[in-house]
Amino acid sequence: MSETPTIGIDLGTTNSAIAHAEAGDIEILPGDTGDRTTPSVVAFDEATEQALVGRQAKKQAVSHPDRTVFAIKRFMGSDEVILLGPRDCAFTPEELAGLILKKLKHDGEAYLQESIDDVVITVPAYFNDRQRQATKHAGAMAGLTVERIISEPTAACLAYGLQWADDATVLVYDLGGGTFDSSLIDITDGLFEVVATNGDTRLGGNDWDALVVEWLEDRIEREYDVSVTDSPQLESRLFDAVKTAKHELSSRRSTTISIPFLEHDEGTTDVEIPIDRQRFDELTSDLLETTIDRVERLFVETGYRPQDIDEILLVGGATRMGQVRRRLTDRFGVTPSKRINPDEAVAIGAAAQAAILDGELEHGGERHPRQNAQHLPSPSDTVVMLDVTPQPFGVVLIDQETYEPYYHVVIERNTPIPARESYVTTTAREYQSEIEIQVYQGDNSRIEENELLDSFELGPLLERPAGEPTIEVTFILDENGILNVHARDVDHDVGDEIEIQPVFGFTDDELTVMQQNLPPIR
Ligand code: AMP
């Protein structure tokens, strides 16, 4: 059992949350402002060389959009460098996410009066290998030991199931600010088994805002006969105004988008544009349908039918839009549950997973979040969570007859994790001394449609005629959904066995340096 508090973190696109599990109770830890979530916003103050994170960063965003970053999660796993300020203030996505995690750690420690080390962090189910690795690295930069990475919908389902259901088939629909996930999960006597998962790591509430901002600019130009100035400040104001209207439309039929003193080429004007729910839904219906298509694929892939679903769980702030609840009810014939808080369920589930790892969620324990004071005894002995990989993995092989390269899937989509799969290959040329292994993510038979994760040379091989060597390659996908690849020349002496792991992101030494160089948080 861990010596430090049992902690789960929901590192969200828009907001993040941290939860603590103790003696069967799970509570959300408030930040320094007393709020239960922390905006995932980072700013850098060049003058003091300090970072601002959360509400403070958000507050100064309108006046300093150039030194503020929102939705950093969208860049995780990419080589993007983010400039915060005019000079030399470049950050990697891992560093910026690391700053958000550091802030959550600080605030959590101040609240608990204990130091936080081991954590479970959630990621969108549809995050790929690099994005998961990047999240782990962000944790390391914040000085945290990431015990496990788990999927957001799985975490939400855990939060729900521990409290409300012993046997159920659950559809989780998770629409956050920047990502969408859907998962089908079977709960049976404490066993949480993800059947399939599908999503889009670049689709979220922000895309709804962007479409409405486009429409708004057009309306302003037509109704007020002005040309909207192209500036980051104004853009940020339009997005804020649209977001406010979107939130209002979740609880009323119509509202007005107000932008006082809107700057345009001839001066400023007070702008007021009415919008109703119907218009909002029309403007954004394609986005909603994209999410419904993703859910449909779950049924096609698994053979489950909508009538097999006992419960639909809504997770993520953007599921508050009325269109989501209405469309899911119409399409799948189940009214989504209101039993979980869409903003907190993921962090609570992450803390529950941390408690499972610490052996705290055993039969007889009190396995319910404190937010609901009921004690629900469970008939099961232990709580077990089995997740799947949404991402398939494969390699390029050479056909021995035609010498044409072809794609071979090694780990199929929706395989339960951890997973281990091997295949045997051989050389195509005479006396080949090394063989190249190209590791891809994807299951498209067209090689170029898959994403190359890494490629490495296995060698020196015992030099033999083409087709004679036996090269065994093993893909090991761990519980975090992160892949390692081992390859060996079977006929070599055992002592010569070569083991190779693709390296994504940073080495431990690089991480240590980056952690030390992370700016202090004001
Ligand atoms: P999350 O990443 O889960 O914090 O979700 C943030 C997204 O939820 C943003 O796109 C918000 O605009 C959106 N959101 C939050 N509250 C509401 C609401 N009441 N109505 C519609 N969208 C909301």
Side-chain angles (χ1 to χ4, degrees):
M1 197 143 91
S2 164
E3 294 293 308
T4 54
T6 303
I7 297 289
I9 293 179
D10 167 11
L11 179 61
T13 308
T14 320
N15 294 297
S16 296
I18 175 166
H20 172 224
E22 190 176 30
D25 274 336
I26 300 178
E27 68 171 327
I28 295 280
L29 302 181
D32 59 350
T33 49
D35 296 296
R36 296 166 70 81
T37 57
T38 297
S40 304
V41 185
V42 180
F44 184 67
D45 182 348
E46 230 199 348
T48 60
E49 302 214 325
Q50 288 175 321
L52 303 171
V53 181
R55 227 152 288 278
Q56 256 197 321
K58 199 173 168 182
K59 242 187 335 196
Q60 56 80 68
V62 174
S63 48
H64 300 290
D66 53 331
R67 69 175 196 202
T68 314
V69 61
F70 288 84
I72 187 60
K73 193 163 158 183
R74 284 193 165 193
F75 299 107
M76 292 296 269
S78 74
D79 296 329
E80 203 92 24
V81 171
I82 292 114
L83 290 176
L84 292 187
R87 274 193 298 123
D88 208 20
C89 308
F91 294 91
T92 63
E94 287 90 340
E95 286 172 317
L96 295 170
L99 281 165
I100 297 169
L101 291 170
K102 196 167 154 181
K103 167 81 174 154
L104 295 170
K105 173 175 154 71
H106 276 174
D107 288 356
E109 287 175 342
Y111 182 81
L112 292 174
Q113 292 292 302
E114 273 184 275
S115 113
I116 292 174
D117 179 18
D118 297 343
V119 295
V120 169
I121 301 183
T122 57
V123 294
Y126 226 60
F127 251 24
N128 67 24
D129 202 79
R130 279 170 200 270
Q131 292 166 310
R132 284 166 193 258
Q133 191 73 265
T135 305
K136 250 186 129 174
H137 288 167
M141 284 182 210
L144 295 167
T145 305
V146 182
E147 272 187 291
R148 184 69 61 87
I149 299 275
I150 66 166
S151 296
E152 288 159 10
T154 314
C157 186
L158 207 49
Y160 164 80
L162 289 174
Q163 199 177 359
W164 297 106
D166 276 323
D167 279 286
T169 296
V170 176
L171 168 66
V172 184
Y173 178 101
D174 179 356
L175 188 63
T179 57
F180 171 68
D181 273 327
S182 59
S183 291
L184 266 179
I185 303 176
D186 273 335
I187 309 175
T188 325
D189 285 347
L191 173 67
F192 290 73
E193 201 171 358
V194 181
V195 185
T197 192
N198 208 315
D200 188 332
T201 53
R202 291 188 172 263
L203 177 65
N206 300 347
D207 298 295
W208 268 252
D209 303 344
L211 281 185
V212 181
V213 165
E214 235 175 72
W215 168 85
L216 177 66
E217 285 179 342
D218 185 56
R219 286 300 290 265
I220 294 172
E221 297 197 349
R222 280 198 285 132
E223 286 194 19
Y224 291 83
D225 197 21
V226 297
S227 168
V228 178
T229 315
D230 189 11
S231 80
Q233 272 87 354
L234 186 57
E235 179 98 347
S236 157
R237 289 186 68 204
L238 294 181
F239 268 91
D240 278 352
V242 161
K243 192 175 275 218
T244 305
K246 175 182 76 172
H247 292 189
E248 286 167 356
L249 289 177
S250 295
S251 51
R252 50 178 143 122
R253 288 193 175 281
S254 64
T255 186
T256 301
I257 305 176
S258 311
I259 305 138
F261 305 113
L262 174 115
E263 304 97 59
H264 51 81
D265 293 349
E266 282 101 59
T268 61
T269 304
D270 291 338
V271 163
E272 301 221 314
I273 305 270
I275 181 167
D276 61 17
R277 220 182 249 176
Q278 195 183 346
R279 171 56 55 93
F280 177 77
D281 290 351
E282 277 166 15
L283 288 170
T284 56
S285 68
D286 285 354
L287 295 175
L288 183 65
E289 289 314 307
T290 307
T291 67
I292 298 296
D293 286 350
R294 294 278 175 172
V295 177
E296 302 270 9
R297 278 192 227 169
L298 290 179
F299 292 110
V300 173
E301 279 168 15
T302 60
Y304 277 53
R305 297 156 308 163
Q307 53 267 45
D308 298 325
I309 301 298
D310 298 306
E311 199 76 273
I312 297 181
L313 300 185
L314 298 183
V315 185
T319 58
R320 292 207 169 85
M321 293 184 292
Q323 54 176 244
V324 169
R325 181 172 286 278
R326 280 195 302 277
R327 185 74 181 97
L328 286 169
T329 309
D330 279 358
R331 177 62 195 88
F332 303 114
V334 179
T335 309
S337 167
K338 290 195 168 161
R339 284 177 163 165
I340 61 168
N341 178 331
D343 299 322
E344 297 183 359
V346 172
I348 287 178
Q353 175 64 49
I356 294 173
L357 292 175
D358 284 353
E360 281 184 19
L361 277 186
E362 296 282 330
H363 178 50
E366 295 166 10
R367 309 183 335 190
H368 52 87
R370 184 185 287 166
Q371 42 150 249
N372 185 301
Q374 289 182 55
H375 290 233
L376 297 178
S378 160
S380 65
D381 288 329
T382 47
V383 181
V384 177
M385 200 198 66
L386 297 178
D387 213 333
V388 295
T389 171
Q391 312 288 351
F393 296 93
V395 287
V396 172
L397 296 178
I398 306 288
D399 187 294
Q400 290 296 314
E401 316 252 294
T402 61
Y403 298 105
E404 287 294 320
Y406 69 98
Y407 192 68
H408 169 68
V409 176
V410 181
I411 294 184
E412 308 264 0
R413 186 187 297 279
N414 290 324
T415 300
I417 54 172
R420 188 186 177 99
E421 292 291 340
S422 296
Y423 67 92
V424 168
T425 183
T426 188
T427 51
R429 283 180 283 111
E430 299 292 330
Y431 305 102
Q432 217 171 300
S433 63
E434 48 193 29
I435 186 166
E436 188 183 23
I437 296 174
Q438 294 178 358
V439 181
Y440 283 83
Q441 187 160 281
D443 54 7
N444 199 306
S445 57
R446 291 158 62 94
I447 298 168
E448 63 279 9
E449 296 295 318
N450 302 299
E451 189 196 349
L452 179 67
L453 288 177
D454 203 8
S455 99
F456 60 82
E457 305 270 334
L458 176 69
L461 307 176
L462 281 182
E463 295 185 19
R464 282 153 294 174
E468 255 188 33
T470 306
I471 311 295
E472 186 182 65
V473 183
T474 307
F475 278 37
I476 301 170
L477 194 58
D478 72 12
E479 301 83 349
N480 303 309
I482 295 176
L483 183 71
N484 275 303
V485 178
H486 297 220
R488 68 184 187 111
D489 179 353
V490 174
D491 305 323
H492 251 217
D493 289 332
V494 178
D496 283 273
E497 183 176 304
I498 295 164
E499 185 175 279
I500 289 164
Q501 305 188 354
V503 180
F504 310 126
F506 307 105
T507 63
D508 286 349
D509 289 347
E510 284 170 336
L511 284 174
T512 309
V513 173
M514 290 167 99
Q515 184 192 346
Q516 283 158 358
N517 291 340
L518 220 53
I521 297 176
R522 186 160 84 206

